[in-house]
Amino acid sequence: ATWNLRGIGSPDTPNISREVEYNRILRREQLAMDCCRYGLDIVGLQETKSRNYEKLVYPNKYRVIIFDQIGECHGGVGFVVSVSVLMLL
């Protein structure tokens, strides 16, 4: 599956409010929960709008991998992968 996120940004971006930071963290957690709810093993992410590489592991056994961008922050890609698929690699 693929998912156009329209931005999840980086929570550690300088000069953002605590509310924006918290919202970005919650959006990442919601992403992993939605993948579990729909039974998705691999999801391609588009428009993450995150500048930094991130590799997150959530309690529901999903990994969110967001690739860094050089230059602009209007695009961005990543993946959500279930642990059951990672064990096959």
Side-chain angles (χ1 to χ4, degrees):
T2 63
W3 205 324
N4 186 334
L5 299 175
R6 297 189 180 160
I8 57 175
S10 298
D12 59 351
T13 303
N15 302 321
I16 61 170
S17 70
R18 293 288 252 171
E19 182 179 345
V20 171
E21 176 184 0
Y22 186 66
N23 186 34
R24 289 178 177 181
I25 292 168
L26 286 178
R27 289 191 76 187
R28 285 166 168 68
E29 291 175 2
Q30 184 66 47
L31 177 63
M33 290 188 312
D34 286 347
C35 289
C36 183
R37 180 175 57 193
Y38 295 119
L40 304 173
D41 288 318
I42 300 174
V43 178
L45 306 177
Q46 306 162 28
E47 284 193 53
T48 63
K49 298 187 181 180
S50 180
R51 290 184 182 222
N52 304 324
Y53 174 81
E54 297 179 63
K55 188 174 181 181
L56 311 163
V57 180
Y58 288 99
N60 64 358
K61 309 285 191 208
Y62 278 85
R63 288 200 177 171
V64 177
I65 303 164
I66 300 171
F67 296 99
D68 57 341
Q69 297 185 72
I70 298 174
E72 298 183 25
C73 65
H74 297 292
V77 295
F79 291 95
V80 180
V81 184
S82 70
V83 169
S84 60
V85 169
L86 289 173
M87 292 184 341
L88 299 174
L89 300 177

